[in-house]
Amino acid sequence: MRQTIVRDVSELPTYGYGPRSGPWWGAMGFMALEGMGFAIAIGAYLYLYAVNPNWPIGATPPDLWPGTAETIIYLLSIIPNEMTNRAAHRQDLAKVRTGLIVMSLIGIGLLVLRGFEFAHLNTRWDNTAYGSIVWLILGLHTTHLVTDLGDTVVLTVLMFTRHAKPRRFSDVTDNVFYWNFVVLAWLPLYVLLDWVPRL
Amino acid sequence: MSIAAEQHALRDDGLNGLQLSTRLESIWRTPSGFLGALMSVDHKVVGRRYIVTSFAFLLLGGLLAVLMRVQLARPENTFLSADKYNQIFTMHGSTMMFLFAVPVMEAFAVYLVPLMVGTRNLAFPRLNAFSYWMFLFGGCFLWISFALNVGPDVGWFAYVPLSSLQYTPTKRPDVWAQMITFTEVAALAVAVEIVVTVFKQRAPGMTLDRIPLFVWAMLVTAFLVMFAMPSIMVASTSLILDRLVNTRFYDSSSGGHSLLWQHLFWFFGHPEVYIIFIPGTGMVSAILATFARRPVVGYPVVILSLIATGFLSFGLWVHHMFVTGLPQLGAGLFTASSMLIAVPSGLQIFCWLATLWDGRPVYRTPLLFVVGFIVIFVMGGLSGVMVASVPIDTQVHDTYFVVAHFHYVLIGGAVFPLIGAVYYWFPKITGRMLSEKLGRWNFWLAFVGFNVAFFPMHILGLIGMPRRVYTYTADMDWAHLNLLSSGGAVIFALSFALLLVNAIRSLRSGALAGDNPWDASTLEWATSSPPPPQNFDRIPVVKHRDPLWLDSASLPVVAGLSVERREVLLTSLAEAEPQIREGSPEPSIWPLLTAIATTVFFIGSIFTPWAVLWGTPPMAVTLIGWFWPAGSKEDEE
Ligand code: HEM
Ligand SMILES: [Cu+2]
């Protein structure tokens, strides 16, 4: 088939930020389906809550302090996260490195705290359906925390190698974006796990 | 390390046609040899594997179907034991739904969508390779278990409490539950790739109202997958946790509830039917336009119908649960929405009929299958509206009426368009035409065989034959119709054998196809058959809905992409304005290694919870290998 060149795209950039880039949309896609997973799990919780006359079944509600402490740290973590984001947009390598290290440390801290949270649920997964669903939901969110932390740590290491090319800053902003999702997903779960059993 | 430094790369502007294709081929091709084949991230290579594998599962599932029909051909038959029959109908349903119908549709999308939107690869080629391996390993896992006599036997829906440890203390339901996870991971990965590819990699100028209908259908399907499949994953994970570590999700003695399973299952299971059917409609639209020699009538109506069907399909799951005793108002509501979904499907059918009416149809094999689809699907729709009504459903529930109905919908709605699609796109994928003469035989055998096999089941259901029974007595008067049905099933099966013969013969000695043998209008026909590794030497610019019909003298294209590294052109979401030349990943062995690590993890965890501990590090290592940017051109400057 004959062809006519109608446009030259050689001046276009080779990477971009946010909705201009492909990986950002990939992250959006995964957030959508993971968000759906959380929604379904919340639905299952509420379903079990609705069909059981007593709630929580055979247990006291979870102790409040670990979940609350986590919620506060999650919310505060948005600040260094946002600073990392800005530094990445400015392509400020030194600041990005610091930001990523801070975010990795916060992630590790939250993971430790998560251990306490499991211990203070005041029920085991095999006690009753109540125990099962709270362990499942907390487990789902913990999986997110772990994968995002893994991602952040790898990216941190990467930024200290020769691979710290300009386009990697776009990866950093996607990582920032994903962290916000982990935070956002936590808030309804916190209310569900820690406050609904106290209603 | 500035942007300017990256732009010195050689571009395509200074090269003539032949130099350009050779250069592009050398950077986009899959490495040679066995290892190279395992590393491939080319959507065409992966797509072809995906298609062939899912057809292999169709053959296996079909073989089981024939075994069932042999058993049911006469009363009190002893060909299969009750126990074997349970395994076989479970394996048939699970194979057809999870290993054939959904994967084959996604497989066609993996192959076709990048070509149809005018780009060089999918958005996440390594994820795509990973998805294929997961699908392959999950399917093999199921079938090897079956061969070792630990295949599932609790139905493709694995209802609790039947599938609970208490009632089925073997490993069979665990195999089923993990197979679900494998195939869902694969399906979800493809869904995300399709969405991002369609959103960001469309050729310049392919605005939302110029996207081919097949691509629209796959986009809607991808969204359905993303919103329906998490539900079955939560359900099957909870099931396996109940069985392996004593959680109590479905255990009514500890506050669990077996209806929770049904809600989670059907919240996925109903949209699942549309996940299978909507791509079929996309194939129908593509084939119709080409053979009616005119664009499909009512393009916006078809798209709105697709979207409406997608939305409504989520409101319907409860109609599978009418007999579980729901509140009256709820049942009424769900009846209404079940009937409502007939409206968008009906609108699409009118658009297609109008296209045929107004066009100058050429009845080649692909179009025959489309006409067969319309006939069968309308009948399936009618019996569907019948079972959507609570009083009727209460009567025919769990009888062969339902078996007849859903085979009319699934086979009419998906398999007929699919076989049409095989005839239609075979020349593009292989470079050779299928035989038209065998094609006609294929169609008539399929059409007659199908109706003889499944129409009698409506009557059998109405006169009381329940589904999932392995035999019946002679005094029930079901023998004649069952024999007829089994005969039809054999004829239907022969039609697939004929397709296989046709494909093998044509691969060797079929007529050469050329770029555009059907004189079709969409972009996949603008490149050679089979397409080169880079798909297009220059990315086309789209100015109409039917570029190859309206720009047939000369195709407008862009210049300026790199010829030194893999690059795809990203465009804006709505207007498809060029924005970025983004790097596209090189071939890699890591997706395969990651899939192997994941497989060990999933299968191991059936046997010991410790697999979660020792199975995780290999997954982490392989994932890091996957994402580490070593070996990519842009990082080696
Ligand atoms: C050669 C063609 C086929 C034949 C002869 C056939 C036959 C049958 C029969 C006799 C049953 C009923 C088993 C029972 O209730 O005792 C059945 C069930 C089923 N079939 Fe097919 N089938 C065919 C193709 C398909 C296809 C293409 C699909 C899906 C795309 C499919 C999906 C199912 C499902 C989901 C079930 C329900 C299984 C269960 O109850 O667990 N079948 N089939
Ligand atoms: Cu349904």
Side-chain angles (χ1 to χ4, degrees):
Chain A
M1 191 161 196
R2 274 198 41 212
Q3 303 188 333
T4 324
I5 295 177
V6 295
R7 165 142 197 194
D8 187 339
V9 294
S10 52
E11 296 317 312
L12 292 179
T14 55
Y15 64 93
Y17 293 95
R20 293 172 76 90
S21 83
W24 186 88
W25 283 96
M28 276 297 270
F30 279 100
M31 284 187 237
L33 63 92
E34 286 157 14
M36 192 65 202
F38 282 125
I40 295 282
I42 292 173
Y45 181 105
L46 294 176
Y47 182 86
L48 290 170
Y49 176 67
V51 297
N52 278 291
N54 299 312
W55 197 262
I57 314 171
T60 52
D63 297 340
L64 274 179
W65 70 265
T68 311
E70 260 176 46
T71 309
I72 294 170
I73 298 180
Y74 269 124
L75 289 175
L76 290 177
S77 74
I78 292 180
I79 300 167
N81 199 38
E82 203 41 48
M83 282 163 63
T84 316
N85 192 19
R86 303 234 167 113
H89 275 282
R90 287 196 313 270
Q91 310 211 345
D92 180 340
L93 186 58
K95 286 259 167 54
V96 165
R97 284 175 174 166
T98 325
L100 285 173
I101 292 177
V102 171
M103 290 310 293
S104 304
L105 292 175
I106 290 178
I108 294 171
L110 281 167
L111 208 54
V112 173
L113 206 50
R114 192 43 71 77
F116 283 100
E117 194 176 359
F118 274 110
H120 285 265
L121 281 177
N122 296 332
T123 179
R124 276 169 53 108
W125 64 90
D126 55 359
N127 267 359
T128 62
Y130 166 73
S132 308
I133 190 74
V134 296
W135 276 74
L136 179 76
I137 290 178
L138 207 56
L140 272 183
H141 193 265
T142 308
T143 314
H144 267 72
L145 181 56
V146 171
T147 45
D148 192 284
L149 176 63
D151 193 32
T152 311
V153 170
V154 173
L155 204 54
T156 312
V157 176
L158 202 61
M159 291 314 262
F160 280 92
T161 70
R162 69 191 170 89
H163 296 293
K165 296 280 161 77
R167 75 188 62 251
R168 294 287 156 242
F169 291 110
S170 166
D171 296 351
V172 173
T173 58
D174 290 342
N175 183 265
V176 163
F177 182 54
Y178 202 79
W179 179 257
N180 287 339
F181 170 68
V182 176
V183 174
L184 207 67
W186 171 246
L187 300 178
L189 299 184
Y190 169 60
V191 174
L192 187 77
L193 295 180
D194 282 346
W195 292 97
V196 168
R198 293 188 152 75
L199 287 182
Chain B
M1 218 174 61
S2 67
I3 302 179
E6 286 180 349
Q7 284 192 341
H8 68 251
L10 189 60
R11 298 289 165 48
D12 60 358
D13 355 28
L15 300 170
N16 71 29
L18 188 62
Q19 287 170 324
L20 180 63
S21 359
T22 345
R23 258 209 104 94
L24 284 173
E25 254 184 80
S26 74
I27 58 169
W28 282 91
R29 65 160 219 278
T30 293
S32 51
F34 181 63
L35 193 64
L38 298 181
M39 291 167 62
S40 182
V41 293
D42 184 335
H43 74 99
K44 299 180 291 300
V45 175
V46 176
R48 228 163 37 213
R49 286 179 192 162
Y50 233 127
I51 294 174
V52 171
T53 311
S54 39
F55 268 100
F57 284 121
L58 169 69
L59 285 186
L60 290 171
L63 201 69
L64 298 183
V66 172
L67 293 182
M68 286 192 288
R69 282 318 317 174
V70 170
Q71 164 67 16
L72 294 172
R74 54 195 188 87
E76 289 164 68
N77 203 348
T78 52
F79 176 65
L80 296 174
S81 66
D83 178 49
K84 259 281 164 289
Y85 191 86
N86 282 346
Q87 281 181 54
I88 287 183
F89 81 66
T90 302
M91 285 293 291
H92 168 72
S94 306
T95 301
M96 288 301 193
M97 300 302 268
F98 296 107
L99 301 180
F100 161 65
V102 176
V104 82
M105 295 301 178
E106 289 198 317
F108 268 84
V110 163
Y111 193 97
L112 290 170
V113 164
L115 289 163
M116 289 178 106
V117 302
T119 185
R120 290 191 166 147
N121 207 343
L122 281 166
F124 307 109
R126 290 190 180 177
L127 185 65
N128 188 36
F130 173 72
S131 151
Y132 171 73
W133 297 122
M134 288 295 284
F135 164 61
L136 179 70
F137 296 159
C140 290
F141 167 56
L142 182 73
W143 272 80
I144 291 172
S145 306
F146 178 59
L148 298 177
N149 200 20
V150 275
D153 59 355
V154 286
W156 80 280
F157 37 77
Y159 277 171
V160 294
L162 180 61
S163 58
S164 307
L165 196 58
Q166 194 187 352
Y167 294 98
T168 308
T170 57
K171 286 282 170 211
R172 295 176 185 278
D174 301 308
V175 169
W176 183 87
Q178 286 309 64
M179 179 277 296
I180 295 292
T181 310
F182 273 101
T183 47
E184 292 339 45
V185 168
L188 286 166
V190 174
V192 173
E193 285 153 28
I194 301 287
V195 169
V196 180
T197 308
V198 176
F199 277 7
K200 291 304 289 178
Q201 291 185 203
R202 300 197 314 276
M206 188 184 276
T207 52
L208 293 180
D209 64 348
R210 292 180 191 155
I211 300 179
L213 286 172
F214 175 76
V215 175
W216 261 113
M218 287 315 309
L219 184 66
V220 172
T221 306
F223 275 108
L224 287 191
V225 168
M226 283 167 55
F227 291 115
M229 299 247 172
S231 181
I232 183 85
M233 281 187 82
V234 169
S236 67
T237 305
S238 305
L239 175 64
I240 204 163
L241 288 174
D242 266 12
R243 299 176 47 89
L244 298 180
V245 295
N246 289 319
T247 54
R248 309 295 184 115
F249 292 103
Y250 306 119
D251 173 4
S252 51
S253 70
S254 305
H257 213 240
S258 52
L259 277 190
L260 174 61
W261 171 266
Q262 291 205 30
H263 280 293
L264 291 176
F265 186 85
W266 288 118
F267 186 81
F268 142 83
H270 188 80
E272 164 92 344
V273 175
Y274 292 87
I275 289 171
I276 295 169
F277 161 64
I278 291 178
T281 68
M283 294 168 167
V284 167
S285 293
I287 294 172
L288 257 180
T290 298
F291 292 93
R293 318 291 322 140
R294 61 151 296 147
V296 170
V297 172
Y299 176 93
V301 179
V302 174
I303 292 172
L304 290 178
S305 307
L306 287 174
I307 296 174
T309 310
F311 270 107
L312 285 173
S313 71
F314 280 97
L316 295 183
W317 83 96
V318 181
H319 72 196
H320 295 268
M321 300 167 66
F322 283 156
V323 294
T324 55
L326 293 165
Q328 201 60 51
L329 174 70
L333 219 67
F334 282 108
T335 301
S337 76
S338 301
M339 293 186 172
L340 206 61
I341 204 157
V343 175
S345 306
L347 279 178
Q348 278 204 72
I349 290 185
F350 284 125
C351 291
W352 291 325
L353 290 178
T355 311
L356 273 179
W357 189 264
D358 192 57
R360 289 168 283 121
V362 189
Y363 285 92
R364 305 289 294 268
T365 308
L367 189 59
L368 288 182
F369 275 96
V370 166
V371 174
F373 149 82
I374 293 178
V375 174
I376 297 174
F377 185 73
V378 166
M379 291 173 69
L382 291 178
S383 57
V385 174
M386 287 169 74
V387 286
S389 129
V390 179
I392 298 183
D393 184 59
T394 320
Q395 294 305 311
V396 300
H397 192 88
D398 278 333
T399 71
Y400 261 81
F401 189 85
V402 172
V403 178
H405 157 67
F406 72 69
H407 282 92
Y408 265 77
V409 177
L410 285 170
I411 298 183
V415 179
F416 270 72
L418 180 72
I419 306 303
V422 169
Y423 277 89
Y424 181 56
W425 278 299
F426 191 89
K428 179 48 64 185
I429 299 177
T430 66
R432 295 192 183 259
M433 308 293 289
L434 284 168
S435 149
E436 182 69 17
K437 196 166 147 235
L438 290 183
R440 282 166 191 276
W441 272 97
N442 185 350
F443 170 73
W444 286 109
L445 279 182
F447 189 76
V448 172
F450 169 81
N451 282 296
V452 175
F454 290 98
F455 193 82
M457 292 188 190
H458 290 108
I459 307 170
L460 280 169
L462 292 176
I463 59 178
M465 176 165 167
R467 64 192 286 203
R468 299 179 203 126
V469 288
Y470 82 106
T471 195
Y472 51 91
T473 56
D475 57 1
M476 301 274 191
D477 284 333
W478 299 338
H480 293 302
L481 286 173
N482 267 309
L483 186 61
L484 185 65
S485 164
S486 296
V490 172
I491 300 178
F492 190 45
L494 283 179
S495 77
F496 288 91
L498 201 60
L499 175 62
L500 191 65
V501 170
N502 198 351
I504 292 173
R505 269 188 37 166
S506 298
L507 275 179
R508 295 229 201 91
S509 56
L512 287 178
D515 293 1
N516 190 0
W518 311 115
D519 189 18
S521 72
T522 39
L523 287 181
E524 77 272 30
W525 306 102
T527 183
S528 50
S529 316
Q534 70 275 22
N535 287 356
F536 302 93
D537 290 347
R538 292 186 201 278
I539 301 301
V541 173
V542 174
K543 301 191 161 162
H544 321 273
R545 225 172 260 165
D546 297 291
L548 301 199
W549 282 346
L550 296 168
D551 285 323
S552 56
S554 175
L555 191 70
V557 294
V558 298
L561 286 168
S562 170
V563 293
E564 293 199 318
R565 63 165 193 145
R566 297 179 167 214
E567 225 169 55
V568 292
L569 188 60
L570 297 199
T571 51
S572 63
L573 181 59
E575 296 299 321
E577 268 297 307
Q579 286 179 327
I580 297 176
R581 301 182 285 121
E582 196 165 68
S584 181
E586 303 284 326
S588 160
I589 196 70
W590 290 108
L592 173 60
L593 298 181
T594 310
I596 293 175
T598 317
T599 302
V600 171
F601 176 94
F602 280 159
I603 298 184
S605 60
I606 297 184
F607 296 97
T608 158
W610 292 108
V612 174
L613 278 188
W614 52 252
T616 308
M619 273 167 71
V621 170
T622 48
L623 275 171
I624 292 172
W626 172 343
F627 286 107
W628 198 259
S632 75
K633 290 239 165 61
E634 66 218 40
D635 276 63
E636 277 163 10
E637 284 153 11

